[in-house]
Amino acid sequence: MAEKQFNLTTDPWIKVISKESNQEQTVSLITLFENADKYRALGGEIRAQDLAILRFLLAILTTVYSRFDADDEPYEWLTIDQQTLRDVGGLNVDDKGKVKKALLHTWEQLYDSGKFTEIVTTYLKRYADRFDLFGEQPFYQVTENEYNQVVPKKKQISGEKGPGTVAVKQINRQVSESGNTPALFSPKSDDFKNDIQLDELVRWLVTYQNYTGVTDKTKIDMPDKFSTSSGWLYKLNPVFADGNDLFQTLMLNLILIGDDQPYALQRPVWEESIPAYVDQRKKQQMPNNLAELYTTWSRLLHINWSDDGIPTIFSAGLPMFESEDAFIEPMTLWRYDKKTSRFRPAVKTLRSLGMAMWRNFGEYVKIESTSDQDQQHEPGLVHWLRTLRDKDLISEDTLLTLASVTLISDGNATSQAPVAEVYDDMRINADVLFDEDPDAAQRWPDRIAEMITLTQKIGSDYWQFAANVARIRNLDYRPFANKMSATFYDGLNAPFKDWLSNLSNQEDRDKKSNLWKDELEQYVLNAAKEVVQSSSPRDMAGFIDMAGIIDKNHGLVNIFTVSNRLRHRVQVDLDVKKG
């Protein structure tokens, strides 16, 4: 396979959706960056793959535009080598404010122009050899010699033979089948699960490094033992901005300045030698730049190709840095751990599978009126969008779409195989999301959080109603109520997201809040009405509550009495005035 070539810079491998035809296309890196405004979005096999590819593309853009401005000129605080396009003089930053201003000006010029500049293509051509799937330093892989140098002797490989292989069907996250457990609902039959085209293989290579499970038996050789880690993106509950087209999506997520430091030298993995990269990973230090973070490997992969083009993939685990207080990561929600007084990425699990983004609104944007502000940490991506709005780089009427895609594992500590993918989003006006009214009662984020708290209180009322219905029917009340509650919230998703997207700073907060209260009241009462209308004679007859579980006065309990209890509870919680 030495003569085989597939270069990501010029060969098509990224799936996109064309704005003109609304059809899927496959394009190269250079074509994508030169025509990003002509594509609606990425269009890979699964949305989690699109997120992994998005971060890969952002690593390229962050690297380029942290070195060159929108006129393709190097920043004055850098000494750029014209061959490598890297800084060789060491970072010389005296005026941090000046640096921040220059980077934001670069972002503004690019955003206003609607296109990326020639320097991106120049950079890709300069590093084309590192984007070659079959090159001397193959893309996202190591050579056989490099692999054997870092794994234990008994794990070394020779040609197509050796331990520690991972099948194509396992790297393909639509299948995710290991050698021990067959995937029952695979989109491919058994005979074709390991068949793959080169462009698809590249997409899954990038994705697998981000969403790796922990079934691998081979690890690099280390003085101290370490546990095989899952992929970094697998550990997050991601949030990113979804634009009107691919160019806008890339720009809104292109973070050129950090929270704590205005500038960092970017080190994407393809600019590092493999020995240097492995040595750095052995230290398990958190990256200090986004390009390195976005291109973090969870595995050293080596691919041997047979004469008929069949890949044999060898995999060795790398030590992963800790995720606690890893605020360099901008695309995640954070959860405060009271035991350690530190923040951890808020991982979505099967238990929280059905919880929509809007119900955790306070985790996406800081709520000033809460008493536990020290236990909140706004995602870096949202902080970046706040900066863009504060500097008037995006207009006040920009309708932002915060999106999330999560690949959820089975929760098994020895496999962490993906079992579900969840996509969700919420649209909100930029001035609403970043409203800074000095009166907390009038500040939109605080008011929205108040409405969500109220909605969840009504949701609890409905859950109790459902539990009472189950008791009347002599059923196990918890699973019955949980199922009805899930349906209740599913029906609320569309109306709440619609209410959220129609908020503006020019409208009266009380009026808009009352509109939601009215809609919520009608929704919950209609939901209960449907249950009453489908009730059975047993529901209507009910029983005398001698145990006082529902009625403390030990009276008659039936579908009508529990419905009336719900109506009363809703009126109290919504503070509905009679008449």
Side-chain angles (χ1 to χ4, degrees):
M1 298 295 290
E3 73 284 355
K4 187 81 171 175
Q5 289 187 348
F6 189 90
N7 198 293
L8 280 64
T9 64
T10 53
D11 288 307
W13 67 278
I14 306 173
K15 285 190 175 184
V16 295
I17 305 299
S18 168
K19 289 170 68 174
E20 181 179 3
S21 65
N22 218 26
Q23 298 297 311
E24 178 187 291
Q25 294 182 7
T26 307
V27 298
S28 67
L29 278 172
I30 290 177
T31 301
L32 182 142
F33 285 121
E34 290 181 346
N35 300 277
D37 60 314
K38 297 178 182 178
Y39 308 128
R40 192 173 305 282
L42 295 172
E45 279 79 1
I46 60 176
R47 288 186 182 268
Q49 182 191 92
D50 288 340
L51 179 56
I53 300 293
L54 174 67
R55 286 165 65 97
F56 172 77
L57 298 174
L58 288 170
I60 296 172
L61 291 175
T62 306
T63 299
V64 171
Y65 288 113
S66 67
R67 299 173 185 174
F68 297 88
D69 61 21
D71 295 319
D72 293 351
E73 294 294 329
Y75 294 111
E76 61 182 52
W77 59 85
L78 298 175
T79 304
I80 297 295
D81 179 271
Q82 292 304 311
Q83 288 300 115
T84 63
L85 302 182
R86 299 177 67 176
D87 176 68
V88 293
L91 193 59
N92 182 21
V93 180
D94 295 325
D95 188 346
K96 293 183 179 180
K98 185 178 181 180
V99 171
K100 181 177 180 180
K101 184 177 180 180
L103 292 169
L104 287 175
H105 185 59
T106 294
W107 191 95
E108 181 181 20
Q109 286 184 291
L110 291 172
Y111 191 72
D112 290 345
S113 72
K115 287 183 175 294
F116 298 113
T117 56
E118 182 64 27
I119 191 63
V120 180
T121 300
T122 301
Y123 177 85
L124 290 172
K125 288 180 177 178
R126 198 64 51 85
Y127 282 90
D129 61 322
R130 301 304 297 269
F131 291 97
D132 190 339
L133 189 64
F134 300 96
E136 291 184 11
Q137 186 60 71
F139 174 76
Y140 262 45
Q141 305 158 60
V142 297
T143 64
E144 181 178 307
N145 183 53
E146 289 168 336
Y147 186 93
N148 286 340
Q149 283 183 348
V150 296
V151 300
K153 189 173 183 179
K154 62 180 180 180
K155 298 289 187 179
Q156 292 179 357
I157 57 179
S158 177
E160 295 183 22
K161 296 182 179 180
T165 60
V166 56
V168 168
K169 63 183 179 181
Q170 188 167 351
I171 283 181
N172 184 334
R173 281 328 198 173
Q174 283 187 304
V175 181
S176 296
E177 179 177 309
S178 68
N180 301 320
T181 307
L184 298 179
F185 302 102
S186 167
K188 293 186 176 183
S189 63
D190 288 343
D191 291 339
F192 299 98
K193 285 179 179 178
N194 280 312
D195 288 355
I196 196 165
Q197 299 296 316
L198 291 181
D199 62 320
E200 186 183 2
L201 175 62
V202 175
R203 292 192 296 273
W204 288 122
L205 277 178
V206 175
T207 306
Y208 189 70
Q209 291 285 16
N210 286 274
Y211 293 103
T212 326
V214 293
T215 57
D216 306 69
K217 298 298 188 290
T218 299
K219 297 184 286 188
I220 68 168
D221 205 2
M222 288 268 288
D224 299 320
K225 290 184 178 181
F226 68 95
S227 299
T228 303
S229 173
S230 58
W232 177 254
L233 197 48
Y234 216 1
K235 300 170 178 284
L236 311 180
N237 188 351
V239 56
F240 59 96
D242 204 355
N244 296 326
D245 57 32
L246 183 54
F247 174 79
Q248 191 179 68
T249 296
L250 287 165
M251 286 301 301
L252 290 176
N253 293 284
L254 178 57
I255 301 173
L256 292 182
I257 57 173
D259 292 355
D260 301 324
Q261 55 182 358
Y263 188 85
L265 292 172
Q266 303 297 317
R267 298 193 303 272
V269 68
W270 53 79
E271 288 190 1
E272 300 288 334
S273 70
I274 297 303
Y277 183 72
V278 173
D279 287 344
Q280 178 66 22
R281 288 298 302 277
K282 285 180 178 181
K283 299 175 184 177
Q284 301 183 48
Q285 293 179 348
M286 171 61 56
N288 68 349
N289 64 97
L290 290 178
E292 182 181 350
L293 180 70
Y294 289 165
T295 58
T296 293
W297 288 355
S298 60
R299 301 290 182 270
L300 287 184
L301 298 178
H302 171 70
I303 303 179
N304 273 336
W305 294 87
S306 65
D307 292 337
D308 53 356
I310 304 300
T312 300
I313 306 172
F314 298 89
S315 173
L318 286 166
M320 186 67 75
F321 35 81
E322 288 294 325
S323 59
E324 286 187 327
D325 295 341
F327 298 135
I328 182 68
E329 172 56 67
M331 293 186 181
T332 189
L333 300 187
W334 296 96
R335 204 64 50 77
Y336 184 74
D337 188 336
K338 293 183 179 180
K339 293 182 179 179
T340 63
S341 299
R342 301 180 72 182
F343 287 90
R344 298 175 180 271
V347 181
K348 200 174 186 69
T349 65
L350 288 173
R351 295 184 63 183
S352 57
L353 189 65
M355 184 168 288
M357 285 179 68
W358 63 265
R359 291 173 63 185
N360 292 318
F361 181 81
E363 295 183 11
Y364 291 91
V365 61
K366 202 164 188 178
I367 306 301
E368 299 294 340
S369 60
T370 57
S371 58
D372 57 348
Q373 290 188 38
D374 59 334
Q375 297 181 18
Q376 298 181 74
H377 189 86
E378 195 171 77
L381 186 276
V382 175
H383 183 81
W384 165 250
L385 295 175
R386 185 189 295 277
T387 300
L388 296 180
R389 179 65 205 104
D390 288 346
K391 301 297 182 181
D392 289 324
L393 300 185
I394 55 175
S395 64
E396 61 182 19
D397 59 350
T398 299
L399 194 60
L400 295 172
T401 300
L402 295 181
S404 178
V405 56
T406 311
L407 200 61
I408 300 176
S409 80
D410 57 9
N412 189 328
T414 61
S415 64
Q416 295 187 33
V419 293
E421 183 188 49
V422 178
Y423 173 84
D424 197 6
D425 62 28
M426 56 182 180
R427 294 168 65 83
I428 186 168
N429 188 285
D431 266 13
V432 171
L433 184 63
F434 304 123
D435 185 13
E436 295 184 351
D437 194 300
D439 183 359
Q442 293 296 313
R443 195 180 301 122
W444 264 127
D446 296 79
R447 181 61 67 93
I448 292 167
E450 179 187 338
M451 290 299 101
I452 292 172
T453 299
L454 180 61
T455 301
Q456 292 179 329
K457 184 179 290 186
I458 299 302
S460 296
D461 295 338
Y462 186 79
W463 187 94
Q464 190 60 56
F465 164 73
N468 290 338
V469 171
R471 292 184 177 104
I472 292 171
R473 296 176 180 177
N474 198 27
L475 301 173
D476 187 346
Y477 73 92
R478 287 191 182 277
F480 183 85
N482 288 343
K483 184 177 181 179
M484 286 189 65
S485 178
T487 303
F488 174 85
Y489 276 112
D490 283 345
L492 271 180
N493 288 340
F496 187 87
K497 288 166 70 172
D498 185 58
W499 175 80
L500 189 65
S501 66
N502 284 293
L503 300 179
S504 74
N505 270 7
Q506 286 69 49
E507 292 184 281
D508 182 87
R509 272 64 165 169
D510 291 336
K511 182 178 179 181
K512 293 296 288 187
S513 298
N514 287 333
L515 280 175
W516 174 248
K517 289 180 182 180
D518 290 342
E519 187 165 3
L520 179 60
E521 180 185 14
Q522 289 302 312
Y523 176 81
V524 65
L525 295 181
N526 286 338
K529 184 178 179 180
E530 290 181 6
V531 177
V532 172
Q533 289 177 338
S534 62
S535 58
S536 66
R538 177 194 178 105
D539 297 338
M540 298 177 193
F543 65 94
I544 302 299
D545 188 9
M546 298 302 296
I549 297 175
I550 300 176
D551 187 350
K552 293 181 180 179
N553 295 322
H554 310 292
L556 175 66
V557 173
N558 60 25
I559 192 67
F560 304 112
T561 63
V562 297
S563 177
N564 287 337
R565 284 175 181 274
L566 172 64
R567 181 181 294 274
H568 172 71
R569 193 68 255 163
V570 168
Q571 290 178 337
V572 170
D573 288 340
L574 292 178
D575 195 22
V576 177
K577 308 298 183 183
K578 289 186 177 181

